[in-house]
């Protein structure tokens, strides 16, 4: 299920409020049939590499799970890059930069229902290399917000399909067994090439 030949979506930490160069944050829709206490989160992404900073420009990732109306946050956690296991996948993105898998233990309770996973990076240099969230399989349920006024996000809305916009959203959220879950509407790797 990896996705190829796409750049994915620039996704900033929601708390950045549009202060970075591309000023946008992304959220992938998902559904749960049962309630869970989560145990870990994996997601895939890369950097644009324009300033040769790579992952060194990421201070932390902000992980938010929103309800279906983007009114309530189920969880909002900032996780320092040093606390995340980062593994190169061997793939590269549209910019020729390496795609990575990010893994972190994460615990929160979540009921059955519809939600949005919002993963974005907090940067050390606002004008430096930015995080590109790899495309998942469910490209029809990817939403974004961009800046609307100085340091103020606009409303969340579905990502338009016109040229230049490519969905992100590659993630897998799990819960301890029994009752393990894998939210696969999601998981995909953005790359130009894949090494077998």
């Amino acid at each position: 299920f990896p996705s190829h030949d796409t750049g994915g979506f620039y996704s900033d930490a929601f708390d950045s409020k549009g202060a970075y160069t591309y000023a946008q944050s992304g959220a992938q829709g998902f559904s749960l049939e049962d309630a869970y206490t989560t145990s870990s989160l994996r997601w895939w992404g890369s950097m644009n590499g324009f300033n040769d900073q790579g992952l060194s420009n990421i201070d932390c990732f902000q992980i938010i799970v929103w309800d279906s109306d983007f009114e309530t946050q189920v969880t909002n956690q900032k996780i320092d890059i040093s606390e995340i296991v980062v593994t190169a996948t061997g793939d590269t993105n549209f910019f020729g930069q390496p795609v990575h898998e990010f893994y972190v233990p994460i615990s929160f309770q979540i009921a059955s229902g519809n939600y949005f996973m919002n993963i974005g990076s907090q940067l050390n240099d606002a004008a430096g290399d930015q995080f590109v969230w790899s495309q998942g399989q469910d490209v029809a349920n990817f939403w974004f917000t961009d800046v609307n006024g100085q340091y103020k996000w606009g409303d969340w809305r579905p990502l338009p399909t016109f040229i230049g916009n490519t969905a992100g959203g590659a993630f897998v959220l799990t819960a301890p067994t029994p009752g393990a879950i894998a939210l696969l509407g999601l998981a995909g790797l953005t790359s130009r090439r894949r090494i077998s």
Side-chain angles (χ1 to χ4, degrees):
F1 50 66
S3 299
H4 298 289
D5 299 317
T6 178
F9 190 83
Y10 289 112
S11 191
D12 302 335
F14 190 74
D15 283 356
S16 71
K17 298 180 181 178
Y20 303 155
T21 301
Y22 295 100
Q24 58 189 30
S25 193
Q28 175 65 55
F30 68 98
S31 299
L32 293 177
E33 293 183 0
D34 297 300
Y36 296 95
T37 298
T38 66
S39 61
S40 68
L41 175 65
R42 289 187 298 148
W43 67 97
W44 289 263
S46 52
M47 304 298 282
N48 61 15
F50 295 165
N51 299 282
D52 296 321
Q53 296 165 307
L55 296 179
S56 69
N57 198 35
I58 296 179
D59 176 68
C60 68
F61 279 96
Q62 185 172 24
I63 311 297
I64 303 176
V65 174
W66 297 86
D67 68 2
S68 60
D69 297 323
F70 290 100
E71 296 290 334
T72 304
Q73 296 177 0
V74 175
T75 188
N76 182 337
Q77 300 185 40
K78 287 185 179 177
I79 304 170
D80 190 275
I81 191 71
S82 65
E83 298 175 14
I84 298 170
V85 176
V86 181
T87 306
T89 65
D91 293 334
T92 57
N93 68 10
F94 180 82
F95 306 107
Q97 299 298 303
V99 176
H100 298 90
E101 177 187 287
F102 301 88
Y103 169 86
V104 67
I106 191 168
S107 180
F108 59 89
Q109 293 182 335
I110 187 168
S112 61
N114 298 315
Y115 299 96
F116 285 94
M117 175 67 75
N118 175 206
I119 299 174
S121 63
Q122 181 172 299
L123 303 178
N124 295 309
D125 174 6
D129 287 358
Q130 294 200 256
F131 173 68
V132 183
W133 191 4
S134 295
Q135 182 177 329
Q137 299 235 322
D138 185 7
V139 296
N141 202 16
F142 189 81
W143 290 50
F144 84 114
T145 187
D146 61 9
V147 72
N148 180 15
Q150 189 174 18
Y151 304 117
K152 181 180 179 183
W153 288 120
D155 295 329
W156 286 100
R157 56 191 181 274
L159 184 71
T161 56
F162 58 80
I163 294 174
N165 278 339
T166 304
F171 81 95
V172 173
L173 181 65
T174 57
T177 54
I181 55 172
L183 306 175
L184 296 176
L186 328 161
L189 302 180
T190 299
S191 67
R192 170 170 284 178
R193 64 181 176 81
R194 184 179 183 190
I195 298 175
S196 301

